[in-house]
Amino acid sequence: MTTLDIKRIDWASLDGQGRFDALARPSRRSERDVQDVVSGIFEQVALSGGLAVTQFAERIDGFKPRRIAITPEAVAAARDALPPADTRALRVAAENVRVFHQATKPEDTAFVETTPGVKSKLVWRPIGAAGIYVPGGTAPLFSSLLMQAIPAEVAGVTTRVVVTPPAKDGSVHPAMILAAAEANLDAIWLIGGAQAIAALTYGAVLDDGEIPACDKLFGPGNAYVAEAKRYAAALPNGPSVDMPAGPSELLVIADRFCDPEIAAADLLSQAEHDADAQVILVCERAATIDAILAEVEEQLTTLPRADIARASLSEARAILVSDMAEACAVSNLYGPEHLAIQAEDAEALVASIRAAGAVFVGRWAAETLGDYAAGPSHVLPTDGGARTLGGITTASFMTSMSVQTVTEAGAERLGPIAARLARLEGLEAHARAADLRSVA
Amino acid sequence: MTTLDIKRIDWASLDGQGRFDALARPSRRSERDVQDVVSGIFEQVALSGGLAVTQFAERIDGFKPRRIAITPEAVAAARDALPPADTRALRVAAENVRVFHQATKPEDTAFVETTPGVKSKLVWRPIGAAGIYVPGGTAPLFSSLLMQAIPAEVAGVTTRVVVTPPAKDGSVHPAMILAAAEANLDAIWLIGGAQAIAALTYGAVLDDGEIPACDKLFGPGNAYVAEAKRYAAALPNGPSVDMPAGPSELLVIADRFCDPEIAAADLLSQAEHDADAQVILVCERAATIDAILAEVEEQLTTLPRADIARASLSEARAILVSDMAEACAVSNLYGPEHLAIQAEDAEALVASIRAAGAVFVGRWAAETLGDYAAGPSHVLPTDGGARTLGGITTASFMTSMSVQTVTEAGAERLGPIAARLARLEGLEAHARAADLRSVA
C-alpha cells in the first residue's frame, strides 16, 4: 500500500501570495477541447433541432432520447425492484426536502411607504420553465433530482423538465423513477451531456415528444455540462443558469477536541466523489492533523472507491492555523461548497463564517445527512462561488420584482423631487412625466 | 417636422413566429469589435496592473484615474455649487432608498426541524467587496450611485468601490459628490469604461491609491462596460456580476380609461434615454393607441433630447390586443425592465404579471418617481432577463448559506436513512460517515 502524501501547510509561514496559492483550486482539463465540442453541439442543435439532439445522444449517450412517463405502473415496478427500506428512505428524504423548502420560501414583502402615498414592495413569482440536469456518471444521482425538482415544485414552477443520462444499457435506475414520483413529475427524459443542455436551451421535437425551451437551467454535471450551461447563458436571449458547477469541495475545520475518526470519514466521503474533488482540512494543532490523516489512511484501505479517493487526496491540503478564528478566516478565503465545523464551540463559530454553500455544525452533522436528507438542497456553488452566491433554494426558481403604487397626493409630494433630480441629470422628458402628475 | 412612424401590430393577426418576432429586441452594434477592445484591455491590466489601467484611462477617459475623497470640505463645496432644493431632493431620494432597502433586507430563516434533532436554516451574509459602476455619458447619473451604494451599505458590505467616468473636462459633478456623501462613501474613483471594470476585477495600484479586487461587480453601463462585466464573470476565479445590462426598456399597458397625455409622457421619458432605448405600448383599443401616439408626437416637439427620442421611437411598437389579460400575457412574453400599467383595474392586473423588473401601478405611478425617489433600486434586468432575474435589492449584495445542526439523537434517526441512500448511489464512504454517527 502506498502511503498517502497529503500536503501540509503551516499558515503562519506563508506570505500573502503563498496563502493565495495554498488555497488555489487546481487547473482542470484542457478547456479548449471541451469548448469546441460544446459549441459544435449547440450550433448543430440550433440548426436542425431535435434531429441533431437525437444524433448526438445516439453517438454520445449511446441511445436516442427517451421520455420515461412516471405512471403508477412505472412506479410500482420501480418499487418492486428495490428493498422496501430504500423506498421508505427515499420518501423520508423527499419529505424533508419539501418541508425545508416550504418553510423557507421567500414571501412578498409588505408595502413600504417611503413618502405618504408612495408605497412599494418586492413580490416573488415562479419562473416559467425550469430545465433540471441530474448527473448520471458512475451512479444514478437520484438525490440531485429530489434536491432540484422539489424546490422547483414548491416555488410554483409549472414546467419542470428533468434530463438525466441513461445507464450504460440504456435503462433508468428504479430509484430515479421513485425520486421523480416523489417530486410529482409527469416524466423524465433520458438524455445527458451537452446535447441535453442544448435541447433545454433551444427546445427540441423528439420521437417521444417535445422538450420545451427553458427559461433557466439548473444542476451539476461534468465538464461538458458545465461548459454547455456557460455557452447557453451567453447566448442572446438565452436561458439563465443557476451557478457555475465545478468539482465538489469539502473544507473541515477541526479543533483538538474533534473526533479524528469522524473528521477522516467526512474527508473521505468527499474524496470518493471523483478524482477532482477538493478536500481541505484546517486545524489548530499539528497532532490533531496527524491523528486525522492516520485515520484517513486507515479507513481508505477498505473503501470500494479507494482509487478515486486516493487521486482526489493527492491534491488535498492540511492547513495548520494558530486558532479557530484563523481557521474561519482561511475558510472564508477559500469559500468552500461544504464546510464542516468539528469543534467544541462549533455553533459560535458559524457567526464568523461568511462564505460557504452549506455549513455542518458539530460532530453529529455529517455532510452525508445534508447530501441526502436533512432538507436544504445539496446543489451548491463550487470554485469559490460561495463568496457571492448561495446554493439552490426556492428563490432560485423564482424572480422578484418591485411593485410601486402612488396616490394623487403621493405624486404631488414626490413628483417635484423626482422632477428636480431628473433635470439635474439632464432628462427633461423624465421630469415632465413627473410634472404631469404633480403640477395642478 | 417629420412624422413619427411607430410600428403598429395587431396581435390577433400574428402566428407564433410573428409574435416572437414582434417582441424581439433589435440586434445591436457589432459585438466582435467591442469584445476585441475589452479583451485587449483585460489582458493588459492582468499583465501590468495599475500602469495599464492608468494608460487606458488616459487614452479613453482622457484623464488618469482620480480618487475623490468625500471630505466635509468637498461636500460643502458641492452643496454650494447647487441650488439648495437640489440638495434637499437628493437627501429625500437617498432616505427613501435607504428606508425601502432596510425594510426589505432578507432575514435569516428560523431553524426548520425536518427530523427530531435535525435542524437547518438559511442565513444571509454580506459579500466582501462590491465594485459599483455609475455611468456617466451625456449626464452624471448620480441616481445610479444612490440606487446601488445605499442597498450595499444596508446589506452590510464593508468594502464598496464606486467608479464613474470623469466629465469631459476631468471634473466630477457636485451632485455625484453629494450622492456619495448620502451613501456614506469615503471616496469615489473617477474612471470609466472597460478599464474601470478591469481595475475592479484584478485590483489596481494607482497614483491616488489602491482599487481592491472585488468579489462582485454591479451597475449599468455602455456596451463596453457590459462586455467587460461578461468577460470578468467568465474568468476562472473571477468576480460574479449582478446581471447583464442592455439598453433601458419600458412597456406601457394602457386601457381605454388611461390618460393619453400621461401614457405618452412616460413613453417619451423612456425614449430620451438613448437611441437604443426600447419603448412598447400595449393597448386594448386602436383609438387609444391613436390618441397616445398623437400625444407623443405633440410632446416630442418641445423636448430637448428630441433627436435621441426620435431615434429610439423608430424601433418602438404599439401592439393592439383584445383585452387586458392578453396585454399582460404580451408583457410577460417580453419581460420588460419597466412596466407601467395605466388601466382602471391596474392593481388587480399585477397578479397576472410574471416577468418585469419594476411595475408602476396606475396613472399616478410615474416611472420617473421610481427612477429617482420611490425607494426600490432602479437597477433592473433588461433584454428579457426579468423572466428569471430580479433587480438589485439588498440580497444582491449578500449571499445565503444553509446551516445544518444535528444532535446525537438526530444522527441516530436520520443517519441510517442517509446511509441507505448513499449506498443506493454507490457512495460507500458517504454511508460510513453517516454510520459512524448513528451506529452505536
Side-chain angles (χ1 to χ4, degrees):
Chain A
M1 196 194 86
T2 56
T3 303
L4 275 175
D5 187 23
I6 288 178
K7 192 173 180 189
R8 287 166 177 251
I9 293 164
D10 181 359
W11 195 249
S13 73
L14 300 177
D15 61 8
Q17 185 62 41
R19 290 174 173 193
F20 183 84
D21 294 343
L23 296 179
R25 273 95 177 159
S27 58
R28 293 195 283 277
R29 92 176 70 174
S30 159
E31 294 212 343
R32 176 56 63 187
D33 294 352
V34 175
Q35 284 172 11
D36 289 347
V37 170
V38 166
S39 63
I41 290 173
F42 270 71
E43 281 160 21
Q44 281 299 314
V45 173
L47 214 64
S48 43
L51 189 67
V53 170
T54 301
Q55 285 172 346
F56 283 114
E58 284 177 331
R59 193 188 313 162
I60 300 170
D61 293 334
F63 300 91
K64 69 176 190 182
R66 244 174 86 205
R67 181 179 186 278
I68 306 291
I70 308 301
T71 60
E73 299 73 36
V75 173
R79 202 173 283 135
D80 288 347
L82 290 176
D86 284 359
T87 302
R88 283 196 301 272
L90 233 148
R91 168 144 300 171
V92 170
E95 280 179 5
N96 285 358
V97 172
R98 190 178 302 279
V99 165
F100 182 78
H101 285 88
Q102 280 169 339
T104 57
K105 183 175 168 181
E107 287 179 6
D108 297 355
T109 69
F111 267 117
V112 182
E113 190 163 23
T114 52
T115 296
V118 179
K119 293 194 288 190
S120 305
K121 63 178 173 178
L122 295 178
V123 303
W124 290 87
R125 298 281 188 268
I127 63 171
I132 296 173
Y133 193 91
V134 177
T138 50
L141 301 182
F142 57 84
S143 60
S144 289
L145 189 154
L146 298 178
M147 294 292 184
Q148 299 184 85
I150 292 177
E153 186 191 14
V154 171
V157 174
T158 48
T159 304
R160 295 174 293 157
V161 189
V162 170
V163 295
T164 190
K168 287 226 187 315
D169 64 356
S171 71
V172 55
H173 195 282
M176 201 69 87
I177 304 277
L178 293 183
E182 291 293 344
N184 295 314
L185 289 164
D186 295 332
I188 60 177
W189 281 89
L190 292 189
I191 174 174
Q195 59 275 20
I197 301 296
L200 295 171
T201 299
Y202 297 111
V205 177
L206 300 165
D207 286 356
D208 277 9
E210 187 172 351
I211 290 181
C214 291
D215 297 305
K216 189 170 177 181
L217 308 182
F218 297 83
N222 63 20
Y224 293 94
V225 171
E227 172 60 22
K229 283 170 66 189
R230 253 196 301 273
Y231 188 100
L235 288 170
N237 236 328
S240 59
V241 300
D242 55 348
M243 65 186 89
S248 190
E249 306 165 345
L250 171 66
L251 187 148
V252 174
I253 292 178
D255 72 1
R256 66 194 65 208
F257 305 107
C258 80
D259 181 335
E261 192 184 5
I262 278 183
D266 286 351
L267 294 169
L268 282 169
S269 78
Q270 187 61 26
E272 78 170 338
H273 263 298
D274 66 75
D276 288 334
Q278 296 284 300
V279 173
I280 298 187
L281 170 65
V282 181
C283 190
E284 51 159 3
R285 205 173 63 153
T288 307
I289 293 180
D290 293 340
I292 293 171
L293 296 188
E295 268 291 336
V296 167
E297 189 120 19
E298 168 79 21
Q299 295 178 27
L300 188 55
T301 56
T302 61
L303 264 197
R305 292 163 72 99
D307 288 348
I308 294 172
R310 214 174 266 283
S312 160
L313 291 169
S314 72
E315 293 279 0
R317 279 149 281 177
I319 301 176
L320 178 67
V321 291
S322 56
D323 57 27
M324 298 308 279
E326 192 170 55
C328 292
V330 168
S331 179
N332 287 336
L333 277 175
Y334 183 72
E337 182 192 17
H338 305 98
L339 168 63
I341 308 181
Q342 297 177 4
E344 208 182 18
D345 52 351
E347 294 208 24
L349 291 173
V350 173
S352 304
I353 299 302
R354 269 189 16 201
V359 186
F360 302 92
V361 185
R363 64 170 288 162
W364 303 107
E367 189 201 312
T368 305
L369 269 60
D371 285 342
Y372 290 100
S377 180
H378 72 200
V379 179
L380 301 167
T382 59
D383 287 318
R387 285 191 289 258
T388 57
L389 290 171
I392 278 188
T393 64
T394 39
S396 311
F397 294 96
M398 306 179 82
T399 176
S400 66
M401 52 189 198
S402 72
V403 173
Q404 309 188 19
T405 66
V406 181
T407 62
E408 186 171 0
E412 240 168 67
R413 274 198 198 86
L414 199 59
I417 287 164
R420 181 162 279 280
L421 296 174
R423 291 199 169 93
L424 196 51
E425 286 191 343
L427 296 173
E428 177 64 22
H430 281 66
R432 292 185 189 176
D435 286 346
L436 261 183
R437 273 104 162 174
S438 58
V439 177
Chain B
M1 195 194 89
T2 56
T3 304
L4 274 175
D5 186 25
I6 289 178
K7 193 173 181 188
R8 285 164 177 255
I9 293 164
D10 179 0
W11 195 249
S13 73
L14 300 177
D15 62 5
Q17 184 64 42
R19 291 174 172 192
F20 183 85
D21 293 343
L23 296 179
R25 272 98 177 157
S27 59
R28 293 196 283 279
R29 92 176 70 174
S30 159
E31 295 214 342
R32 174 56 66 188
D33 294 351
V34 176
Q35 283 171 10
D36 288 348
V37 170
V38 167
S39 64
I41 290 173
F42 270 71
E43 282 159 21
Q44 281 300 315
V45 173
L47 214 64
S48 42
L51 189 66
V53 171
T54 300
Q55 285 172 347
F56 283 114
E58 283 177 334
R59 193 186 316 160
I60 300 170
D61 293 333
F63 300 92
K64 69 176 191 182
R66 243 173 87 205
R67 181 180 186 276
I68 307 291
I70 309 299
T71 58
E73 298 72 36
V75 173
R79 201 172 284 135
D80 288 346
L82 290 176
D86 284 0
T87 302
R88 283 197 301 272
L90 232 148
R91 168 146 299 171
V92 171
E95 279 179 5
N96 285 359
V97 173
R98 189 179 304 278
V99 164
F100 181 79
H101 286 89
Q102 280 170 340
T104 57
K105 183 177 168 179
E107 286 180 6
D108 297 355
T109 70
F111 267 117
V112 182
E113 190 162 24
T114 51
T115 297
V118 179
K119 294 194 290 188
S120 305
K121 62 178 174 178
L122 296 179
V123 302
W124 290 87
R125 297 283 188 267
I127 63 170
I132 295 173
Y133 193 91
V134 177
T138 50
L141 300 182
F142 58 84
S143 61
S144 290
L145 189 156
L146 299 178
M147 294 290 184
Q148 301 184 85
I150 292 178
E153 186 192 13
V154 172
V157 174
T158 48
T159 304
R160 295 174 294 156
V161 188
V162 170
V163 295
T164 190
K168 286 222 189 314
D169 63 356
S171 71
V172 55
H173 194 283
M176 200 68 89
I177 304 279
L178 293 183
E182 291 295 343
N184 295 315
L185 289 165
D186 295 332
I188 59 176
W189 280 89
L190 291 190
I191 174 174
Q195 59 275 18
I197 302 295
L200 296 171
T201 299
Y202 296 112
V205 177
L206 300 165
D207 287 355
D208 277 8
E210 187 172 352
I211 290 181
C214 291
D215 296 306
K216 189 169 178 181
L217 308 183
F218 297 83
N222 63 18
Y224 294 92
V225 171
E227 172 60 22
K229 284 170 67 188
R230 255 197 299 275
Y231 188 99
L235 289 170
N237 235 327
S240 58
V241 299
D242 53 350
M243 63 187 89
S248 189
E249 305 165 346
L250 170 66
L251 188 146
V252 174
I253 293 178
D255 71 2
R256 65 194 66 208
F257 306 106
C258 80
D259 180 336
E261 192 185 5
I262 278 182
D266 286 351
L267 294 170
L268 282 169
S269 79
Q270 186 61 26
E272 78 168 340
H273 263 298
D274 67 76
D276 288 335
Q278 295 283 299
V279 172
I280 298 186
L281 170 63
V282 180
C283 190
E284 50 160 2
R285 205 173 63 152
T288 307
I289 293 180
D290 294 339
I292 293 171
L293 295 189
E295 268 291 337
V296 166
E297 190 121 15
E298 167 78 21
Q299 295 178 26
L300 188 56
T301 57
T302 61
L303 264 196
R305 291 162 71 98
D307 288 348
I308 294 172
R310 217 173 264 283
S312 159
L313 290 170
S314 71
E315 293 279 0
R317 278 150 282 177
I319 301 176
L320 178 67
V321 292
S322 56
D323 56 26
M324 297 309 279
E326 193 171 53
C328 294
V330 169
S331 178
N332 287 335
L333 277 175
Y334 183 73
E337 182 192 17
H338 306 98
L339 168 62
I341 308 181
Q342 297 177 5
E344 207 183 17
D345 52 351
E347 292 207 26
L349 291 173
V350 174
S352 304
I353 300 302
R354 266 189 20 200
V359 185
F360 302 91
V361 185
R363 65 170 286 162
W364 304 107
E367 189 202 311
T368 305
L369 269 60
D371 284 343
Y372 290 99
S377 180
H378 73 199
V379 179
L380 301 166
T382 58
D383 288 317
R387 286 192 290 260
T388 58
L389 289 170
I392 279 188
T393 64
T394 40
S396 310
F397 295 95
M398 305 178 83
T399 176
S400 67
M401 52 189 199
S402 72
V403 173
Q404 308 189 19
T405 65
V406 182
T407 62
E408 186 171 1
E412 239 168 67
R413 276 197 197 86
L414 198 59
I417 286 165
R420 181 163 280 278
L421 295 174
R423 289 197 171 93
L424 195 51
E425 286 191 344
L427 295 173
E428 177 65 20
H430 281 65
R432 292 186 189 174
D435 286 346
L436 261 182
R437 272 103 162 176
S438 58
V439 177

